[in-house]
Amino acid sequence: MMTLLKSALKLAVVLVAVFAMSGVEAPHAGAEELAKNLFGNKKLPAALPPKSYGFYSKGCFAGGVAIPTDGPTWQAMRLSRNRRWGHPAMIALIEKLSRDAAEKDGWPGLLLGDISQPRGGPMLTGHASHQIGLDADIWFTPMPDRTLSASERENISAQSLVDEKTHRVIDRYWTPAHARLLKRAASYPEVERILVNPGIKKKLCETVKGDRSWLRKVRPFWGHDYHFHIRIGCQPGSTGCKEQAETTPGDGCDKSLAWWFTEEPWRPNQNPDAPKARDVMKMSNLPKECRIVLAAPSPESEMAATFRGPGDRGTSIAAVIQSAGSAVPEPAPQDVVSANAFLPAQGANVPLPEWRPQK
Ligand SMILES: [Zn+2]
């Protein structure tokens, strides 16, 4: 108990220091830089306990960890983008999905697309969401039986599973293993939504036998024809994280799906020159805590903030926090557990820096 208290105190000291260092200046109106430039240029996460702030399409997060570029059952793609970062719960989930799918579903391994930038926030290119560390894209292409080179990971393009004229799945590319992989992803309670192309949703609606309850989480959306998108819910301790609306009951194989196959929805972009949200979003549009996230120190290296496998979620976070404050000694193992993002009570007794308006 004593060590726990001591550790909480040490953490508090680090965090107070972090706040002092953040020294956020109120930006001049009109001269405010775009949030995508500020977040898009961060190379490392904010060395703070893991918390998501705001919404999937308007927010940021602290305490990010990176998934290693290579694991036994995954390889990360497009490494130059530096989007292998997520809330530790998201990274742990990807690792678990990759392992379960390989062991139980005949899926040899995952090719990982974008997760988040190190501190989340709007991106310089692509994606409206992926801003709070709780979204991840996974390719429908299975991992090959060899290690892809860095240049292959930049350049290989994935096979679309959907015919762009008919919006139906191309049957020669679709396999039962694709359905098993999606079912596996939907099986985890923390996964709230999986986005797939409407053609893929339709295929599932037409072919899934037996338990169809998991189809509720699988939602049709534009794109998502060569990858699917997993979204987990706000995590314990992230009080500033805005929950998304619940999915409607039922398997979703109804009028709401049929709508996608009418003429009209396939012209979503009425005005292609209109600016996207990320191109106008400023810091003042994001939750106020995102300034603290942006200003917080980094861990000493990418390695210090890289996820190290199952059971190591807490350690990763401790390492992130630890490497930011060299005066902080190695936490005892029981304190590492207390830094685990999965424990609902975690963080409740640790004073976190709060936003204070500048004088
Ligand atoms: Zn996505």
Side-chain angles (χ1 to χ4, degrees), residues 6 10 13 15 25 56 63 67 98 104 114 147 155 162 190 220 224 234 250 288 308 314 320 343 351 354:
K6 261 164 65 187
K10 280 171 201 156
V13 169
L15 294 170
E25 300 254 2
Y56 299 86
I67 191 150
S98 78
K104 302 166 189 167
D114 289 352
T147 303
N155 299 313
V162 178
E190 58 268 52
H224 300 90
C234 289
K288 56 194 185 316
R308 295 184 204 134
V320 170
L343 298 175
E354 291 294 330

Short mmCIF file of all heavy atoms in Angstrom, two decimals, residues 6 10 13 15 25 56 63 67 98 104 114 147 155 162 190 220 224 234 250 288 308 314 320 343 351 354:
data_model
loop_
_atom_site.label_atom_id
_atom_site.label_comp_id
_atom_site.label_asym_id
_atom_site.label_seq_id
_atom_site.Cartn_x
_atom_site.Cartn_y
_atom_site.Cartn_z
N LYS A 6 3.33 5.93 -2.61
CA LYS A 6 4.55 6.63 -2.99
C LYS A 6 4.61 6.82 -4.51
O LYS A 6 4.97 7.88 -5.00
CB LYS A 6 5.78 5.83 -2.52
CG LYS A 6 6.35 6.39 -1.22
CD LYS A 6 7.30 5.42 -0.52
CE LYS A 6 8.56 5.12 -1.31
NZ LYS A 6 9.35 4.05 -0.64
N LYS A 10 4.81 10.13 -6.78
CA LYS A 10 5.85 10.39 -7.79
C LYS A 10 5.21 10.78 -9.11
O LYS A 10 5.63 11.70 -9.79
CB LYS A 10 6.71 9.13 -7.98
CG LYS A 10 7.76 8.95 -6.91
CD LYS A 10 8.39 7.57 -7.05
CE LYS A 10 9.06 7.12 -5.77
NZ LYS A 10 9.14 5.64 -5.73
N VAL A 13 4.06 14.23 -9.06
CA VAL A 13 5.15 15.18 -9.22
C VAL A 13 5.50 15.34 -10.70
O VAL A 13 5.63 16.45 -11.21
CB VAL A 13 6.40 14.70 -8.42
CG1 VAL A 13 7.61 15.52 -8.80
CG2 VAL A 13 6.11 14.82 -6.92
N LEU A 15 3.59 14.79 -13.19
CA LEU A 15 2.51 15.42 -13.93
C LEU A 15 2.44 16.92 -13.69
O LEU A 15 2.17 17.69 -14.60
CB LEU A 15 1.19 14.75 -13.57
CG LEU A 15 1.14 13.29 -14.04
CD1 LEU A 15 -0.06 12.57 -13.48
CD2 LEU A 15 1.13 13.23 -15.56
N GLU A 25 0.61 29.01 -24.36
CA GLU A 25 0.29 30.41 -24.61
C GLU A 25 -1.04 30.48 -25.35
O GLU A 25 -1.30 29.67 -26.23
CB GLU A 25 1.36 31.03 -25.53
CG GLU A 25 2.75 30.99 -24.94
CD GLU A 25 3.19 32.36 -24.46
OE1 GLU A 25 2.40 33.29 -24.57
OE2 GLU A 25 4.33 32.46 -23.98
N TYR A 56 -13.82 10.75 -31.94
CA TYR A 56 -13.01 10.03 -32.93
C TYR A 56 -12.56 10.93 -34.08
O TYR A 56 -11.48 10.75 -34.63
CB TYR A 56 -13.81 8.84 -33.47
CG TYR A 56 -14.17 7.85 -32.39
CD1 TYR A 56 -15.33 8.02 -31.63
CD2 TYR A 56 -13.34 6.78 -32.10
CE1 TYR A 56 -15.65 7.13 -30.61
CE2 TYR A 56 -13.65 5.88 -31.08
CZ TYR A 56 -14.80 6.07 -30.35
OH TYR A 56 -15.12 5.20 -29.32
N GLY A 63 -0.39 9.28 -23.81
CA GLY A 63 0.04 7.94 -23.38
C GLY A 63 -0.01 6.90 -24.48
O GLY A 63 -0.24 5.72 -24.21
N ILE A 67 2.58 -0.05 -31.94
CA ILE A 67 2.68 -1.49 -32.16
C ILE A 67 4.01 -1.73 -32.88
O ILE A 67 4.39 -0.93 -33.76
CB ILE A 67 1.45 -2.03 -32.95
CG1 ILE A 67 1.48 -3.56 -32.92
CG2 ILE A 67 1.42 -1.52 -34.39
CD1 ILE A 67 0.10 -4.20 -32.97
N SER A 98 -4.79 -10.48 -33.86
CA SER A 98 -3.87 -11.13 -34.79
C SER A 98 -3.57 -12.55 -34.32
O SER A 98 -3.49 -13.48 -35.12
CB SER A 98 -2.58 -10.31 -34.94
OG SER A 98 -1.72 -10.49 -33.83
N LYS A 104 -7.15 -19.57 -34.48
CA LYS A 104 -8.49 -20.15 -34.53
C LYS A 104 -9.23 -19.97 -35.85
O LYS A 104 -10.22 -20.64 -36.10
CB LYS A 104 -9.35 -19.54 -33.40
CG LYS A 104 -8.76 -19.75 -32.02
CD LYS A 104 -9.45 -18.85 -31.00
CE LYS A 104 -8.73 -18.88 -29.66
NZ LYS A 104 -9.17 -17.80 -28.76
N ASP A 114 -3.31 2.24 -41.08
CA ASP A 114 -3.14 3.34 -40.13
C ASP A 114 -3.87 3.08 -38.82
O ASP A 114 -5.01 2.61 -38.80
CB ASP A 114 -3.70 4.64 -40.72
CG ASP A 114 -2.82 5.17 -41.86
OD1 ASP A 114 -1.72 4.62 -42.08
OD2 ASP A 114 -3.25 6.14 -42.52
N THR A 147 8.75 -11.80 -44.51
CA THR A 147 8.80 -10.44 -44.02
C THR A 147 8.87 -9.47 -45.20
O THR A 147 9.77 -9.57 -46.03
CB THR A 147 10.03 -10.25 -43.11
OG1 THR A 147 9.94 -11.22 -42.06
CG2 THR A 147 10.06 -8.86 -42.51
N ASN A 155 4.79 0.40 -50.90
CA ASN A 155 4.31 0.42 -52.28
C ASN A 155 3.28 -0.64 -52.65
O ASN A 155 2.53 -0.44 -53.61
CB ASN A 155 5.49 0.31 -53.23
CG ASN A 155 6.44 1.49 -53.06
OD1 ASN A 155 5.99 2.64 -53.00
ND2 ASN A 155 7.73 1.22 -52.90
N VAL A 162 -14.17 -5.36 -53.72
CA VAL A 162 -15.48 -4.91 -54.19
C VAL A 162 -15.37 -4.34 -55.61
O VAL A 162 -14.45 -3.57 -55.92
CB VAL A 162 -16.04 -3.83 -53.23
CG1 VAL A 162 -17.38 -3.29 -53.73
CG2 VAL A 162 -16.19 -4.39 -51.82
N GLU A 190 -14.83 -4.81 -26.28
CA GLU A 190 -14.38 -3.42 -26.43
C GLU A 190 -14.59 -2.89 -27.85
O GLU A 190 -14.60 -1.68 -28.07
CB GLU A 190 -12.93 -3.24 -25.98
CG GLU A 190 -11.89 -4.11 -26.68
CD GLU A 190 -11.62 -5.43 -25.96
OE1 GLU A 190 -12.60 -6.16 -25.67
OE2 GLU A 190 -10.45 -5.75 -25.71
N PRO A 220 -21.90 -0.55 -42.73
CA PRO A 220 -21.48 -0.19 -44.08
C PRO A 220 -21.02 1.26 -44.17
O PRO A 220 -21.62 2.14 -43.55
CB PRO A 220 -22.77 -0.39 -44.90
CG PRO A 220 -23.89 -0.21 -43.91
CD PRO A 220 -23.36 -0.61 -42.56
N HIS A 224 -13.35 1.35 -47.53
CA HIS A 224 -13.28 0.12 -46.73
C HIS A 224 -13.49 -1.12 -47.58
O HIS A 224 -14.13 -2.09 -47.14
CB HIS A 224 -14.27 0.18 -45.56
CG HIS A 224 -14.01 1.33 -44.64
ND1 HIS A 224 -14.58 2.56 -44.80
CD2 HIS A 224 -13.19 1.45 -43.56
CE1 HIS A 224 -14.13 3.39 -43.86
NE2 HIS A 224 -13.29 2.75 -43.11
N CYS A 234 -14.64 4.34 -25.73
CA CYS A 234 -13.85 5.13 -24.80
C CYS A 234 -13.38 4.22 -23.67
O CYS A 234 -14.13 3.39 -23.19
CB CYS A 234 -14.72 6.26 -24.22
SG CYS A 234 -15.09 7.55 -25.42
N GLY A 250 -30.39 -5.19 -34.10
CA GLY A 250 -30.61 -5.99 -35.30
C GLY A 250 -29.32 -6.16 -36.08
O GLY A 250 -28.29 -5.58 -35.73
N LYS A 288 -9.79 21.33 -24.96
CA LYS A 288 -8.71 22.16 -24.42
C LYS A 288 -7.51 21.33 -23.95
O LYS A 288 -6.37 21.77 -24.01
CB LYS A 288 -9.23 23.06 -23.30
CG LYS A 288 -9.91 22.32 -22.16
CD LYS A 288 -10.68 23.30 -21.28
CE LYS A 288 -11.30 22.70 -20.03
NZ LYS A 288 -11.97 21.42 -20.16
N ARG A 308 5.09 -4.22 -25.95
CA ARG A 308 6.02 -5.37 -25.94
C ARG A 308 5.31 -6.70 -25.80
O ARG A 308 5.91 -7.66 -25.34
CB ARG A 308 7.02 -5.20 -24.81
CG ARG A 308 7.91 -4.01 -25.02
CD ARG A 308 8.96 -3.92 -23.94
NE ARG A 308 9.41 -2.55 -23.81
CZ ARG A 308 9.56 -1.93 -22.67
NH1 ARG A 308 9.29 -2.54 -21.54
NH2 ARG A 308 9.98 -0.69 -22.64
N GLY A 314 0.75 -2.59 -19.15
CA GLY A 314 1.09 -1.68 -18.06
C GLY A 314 2.53 -1.24 -18.16
O GLY A 314 2.84 -0.07 -17.98
N VAL A 320 6.69 4.68 -20.76
CA VAL A 320 6.48 5.99 -21.38
C VAL A 320 6.60 7.08 -20.34
O VAL A 320 7.31 8.07 -20.52
CB VAL A 320 5.07 6.06 -22.02
CG1 VAL A 320 4.76 7.48 -22.45
CG2 VAL A 320 4.98 5.12 -23.20
N LEU A 343 -7.91 -1.14 -16.02
CA LEU A 343 -8.52 -1.13 -14.69
C LEU A 343 -9.33 0.14 -14.53
O LEU A 343 -8.80 1.24 -14.63
CB LEU A 343 -7.43 -1.21 -13.62
CG LEU A 343 -6.61 -2.50 -13.67
CD1 LEU A 343 -5.48 -2.45 -12.65
CD2 LEU A 343 -7.48 -3.72 -13.43
N PRO A 351 -3.69 13.08 -9.53
CA PRO A 351 -4.12 14.39 -10.04
C PRO A 351 -3.52 14.65 -11.41
O PRO A 351 -2.32 14.61 -11.57
CB PRO A 351 -3.57 15.37 -9.00
CG PRO A 351 -2.46 14.64 -8.32
CD PRO A 351 -2.73 13.17 -8.43
N GLU A 354 -4.99 19.92 -15.25
CA GLU A 354 -6.25 20.42 -15.80
C GLU A 354 -5.96 21.68 -16.59
O GLU A 354 -5.04 22.43 -16.27
CB GLU A 354 -7.23 20.75 -14.68
CG GLU A 354 -7.75 19.53 -13.92
CD GLU A 354 -8.60 18.63 -14.81
OE1 GLU A 354 -9.25 19.16 -15.73
OE2 GLU A 354 -8.62 17.42 -14.57
#
